[in-house]
Amino acid sequence: MTHNMIAILDLGSTQSARIAREIRALGVYSEIHPHDIAPAALKALPGVAGIILNGGENRVVEGAPVEVDPAVYDLGLPILSVDYACEGHPADLPAWPENPRETLDAFVEGLNVERNWNMENFIAAQVEQLRAQIGSRKVLLALSGGVDSSVVAALLLKAVGDQLTCVHVNHGLLRKGEPEQVVRVFRQEMGANLIYVDAVDRFLDKLAGVSDPEQKRKIIGAEFIRVFEEEARKLEGIELLGQGTIYPDIIESGTKTMKAVKAHHNVGGLPEDLQFELVEPLKYLFKDEVRAVGKALGLPDSMVYRQPFPGPGLGVRCLGAITRERLEIVRESDAILREEFQNAGLAGKVWQYFTAVPDFKSVGVRNHARCFEYPVILRAVNTVDAMTATVEQVPWPVLLKITDRILAEVKGCNRVVYDLSPKPVATIEWE
């Protein structure tokens, strides 16, 4: 089915993602597009019923303010202009109000569109689209066991069944016990065709000495693709690659008027000579929508509400150049943090929590003697769409218990600190 859609043209606003989510909450699908999209391409968007010109503080690019093509006004589509006026076309609003829902609701009501955006309709439409794209061909899916790839697996299983082969790569950057859990859940409980690949040494050797976060992400992303290419060559008829790309991955990778926050391994890290056609059924969904799809598909809460985990895994939590020693400190301290959050009833309350270890040491005292060891950073944040985040106010006794355990049980660590930075200005991950 075709959903009605509102197109948001990004003219430098920092609110585009928030506005897109607000519109979807009103039951109408929305997408963010660059300000210079051709009017004909804009008109041709499936189901487009209205346009929002979303101006803002990042409107100046290379010394000049960006403009939409004046022909956009001649498309015959209703337009809401916010913080953007030109060509005898004044802005409807000088800026978004603190709560834009009423303004957006009035705009949507004036479009006279069906408010049919929900996850049940999305699943029905996506299954139809997947079957049309895939046909009788076979798909290879990178299955990390995280929320995004798990929901992709469930969608593909519903759409094409045993045409799907899942590959779980242990790159040495997973959390404690995760490779074993992924194999158990997806082979035994979901009945998926699953190939397990032990590539720990291969990845860590490639990453040795690399400290730049963007370079680490690209190495990990490119090496993932190489592993899949090798596995595909062992199979017959693999032409497509499934990925758990979601909308914030694309948004945070940047546009002309939206500065890149960071490159995502499944957006900016793919090799140019990729041999697969991509299958990305979630690439226009926000994180809360992905979870809702998982619930609608019948996935268990333990999977749907699993801790978010970056594609590069602990590679972006072992800050700077990755070493096996610090990687193990991250893994062990993270396991303690997760266990104590579970014990304290915080596991289902806090959206994301993890540890990170920087590439420097601090002086301390152990066994009445000077020691020079690594600090561990604790981070716990709450968010809806991963575009903004607030810091969880963890009870002091819980933080003290976590600290005591890490200092006593994790070899090579002599200091624990708690990160109090919201997003923005900070990001959720450190790299």
Side-chain angles (χ1 to χ4, degrees):
M1 64 179 295
T2 299
H3 298 286
N4 296 305
M5 188 247 282
I6 294 176
I8 300 170
L9 300 195
D10 176 22
L11 285 144
S13 175
T14 58
Q15 297 290 313
S16 290
R18 178 192 178 198
I19 298 307
R21 291 194 67 261
E22 291 280 1
I23 294 170
R24 294 187 188 190
L26 292 169
V28 179
Y29 180 61
S30 60
E31 284 182 4
I32 302 169
H33 289 273
H35 71 281
D36 56 357
I37 182 174
L42 182 59
K43 181 73 171 180
L45 290 174
V48 64
I51 301 168
I52 293 178
L53 304 179
N54 203 21
E57 55 269 47
N58 295 326
R59 189 179 159 199
V60 176
V61 176
E62 297 180 354
V66 298
E67 309 281 352
V68 297
D69 189 319
V72 166
Y73 293 99
D74 300 325
L75 294 177
L77 293 170
I79 295 176
L80 173 63
S81 180
V82 182
D83 194 14
Y84 176 77
C86 69
E87 281 138 355
H89 295 278
D92 295 293
L93 291 174
W96 286 109
E98 185 174 341
N99 185 356
R101 182 70 64 88
E102 184 176 339
T103 300
L104 292 170
D105 191 40
F107 182 61
V108 169
E109 191 65 27
L111 300 178
N112 194 29
V113 296
E114 184 180 354
R115 303 194 186 202
N116 62 353
W117 174 249
N118 57 59
M119 295 306 99
E120 287 75 16
N121 284 342
F122 169 82
I123 292 170
Q126 196 55 236
V127 166
E128 183 178 327
Q129 291 173 25
L130 287 170
R131 288 172 178 166
Q133 178 187 6
I134 296 167
S136 60
R137 296 181 293 173
K138 296 181 180 179
V139 188
L140 193 64
L141 172 66
L143 179 57
S144 69
V147 178
D148 302 334
S149 63
S150 298
V151 174
V152 171
L155 265 175
L156 286 169
L157 286 170
K158 183 178 180 66
V160 297
D162 60 8
Q163 290 171 239
L164 171 67
T165 297
C166 299
V167 176
H168 177 63
V169 178
N170 182 2
H171 51 22
L173 306 172
L174 296 171
R175 290 172 290 200
K176 188 173 183 179
E178 279 192 326
E180 297 83 359
Q181 183 185 38
V182 168
V183 171
R184 182 181 69 252
V185 169
F186 286 94
R187 270 191 186 157
Q188 299 176 10
E189 298 179 18
M190 294 187 68
N193 298 323
L194 176 64
I195 296 172
Y196 173 80
V197 181
D198 184 345
V200 173
D201 291 339
R202 174 174 175 169
F203 274 83
L204 296 186
D205 288 347
K206 284 273 187 180
L207 290 163
V210 179
S211 60
D212 180 72
E214 295 296 275
Q215 189 64 18
K216 287 199 294 186
R217 287 177 181 271
K218 289 178 179 179
I219 288 173
I220 293 167
E223 199 63 20
F224 253 109
I225 297 300
R226 298 306 177 208
V227 171
F228 292 134
E229 286 177 335
E230 292 170 13
E231 293 304 320
R233 283 195 290 268
K234 300 175 186 176
L235 304 169
E236 292 185 2
I238 299 291
E239 298 181 33
L240 302 107
L241 175 66
Q243 285 205 137
T245 310
I246 64 174
Y247 211 19
D249 295 344
I250 297 172
I251 294 171
E252 288 194 338
S253 293
T255 66
K256 292 178 182 177
T257 50
M258 185 185 296
K259 295 180 180 178
V261 177
K262 57 189 174 185
H264 287 264
H265 76 289
N266 48 3
V267 176
L270 298 176
E272 293 181 2
D273 59 345
L274 182 68
Q275 300 298 309
F276 300 109
E277 178 184 332
L278 291 180
V279 178
E280 301 175 293
L282 307 179
K283 69 178 180 180
Y284 292 116
L285 294 189
F286 290 101
K287 196 73 174 189
D288 57 317
E289 294 174 321
V290 174
R291 295 188 192 280
V293 169
K295 286 285 290 182
L297 286 169
L299 293 176
D301 284 357
S302 60
M303 189 177 298
V304 171
Y305 296 106
R306 190 174 184 175
Q307 272 280 288
F309 198 50
L314 299 183
V316 291
R317 295 177 181 173
C318 185
L319 309 181
I322 296 171
T323 66
R324 292 177 187 252
E325 178 190 14
R326 285 192 300 113
L327 195 55
E328 202 55 30
I329 294 174
V330 176
R331 199 177 341 261
E332 292 298 326
S333 61
D334 176 80
I336 291 172
L337 175 65
R338 287 189 288 135
E339 182 180 334
E340 292 303 329
F341 264 45
Q342 184 69 44
N343 293 341
L346 294 172
K349 176 186 175 187
V350 183
W351 187 81
Q352 187 169 9
Y353 43 95
F354 59 89
T355 64
V357 177
D359 59 350
F360 59 82
K361 295 181 178 181
S362 66
V363 68
V365 178
R366 189 180 296 281
N367 298 326
H368 307 291
R370 180 183 183 274
C371 66
F372 200 51
E373 298 175 342
Y374 293 103
V376 168
I377 301 161
L378 308 181
R379 185 125 170 92
V381 297
N382 288 308
T383 182
V384 173
D385 57 11
M387 300 303 297
T388 62
T390 58
V391 177
E392 174 67 20
Q393 297 184 33
V394 180
W396 197 248
V398 177
L399 283 177
L400 290 178
K401 186 174 182 182
I402 293 168
T403 299
D404 289 344
R405 284 197 59 192
I406 290 175
L407 294 179
E409 299 174 29
V410 181
K411 184 179 179 181
C413 166
N414 67 356
R415 196 177 297 267
V416 176
V417 298
Y418 190 58
D419 182 354
L420 294 171
S421 314
K423 177 182 181 178
V425 172
T427 54
I428 294 176
E429 299 286 344
W430 271 59
E431 288 189 343

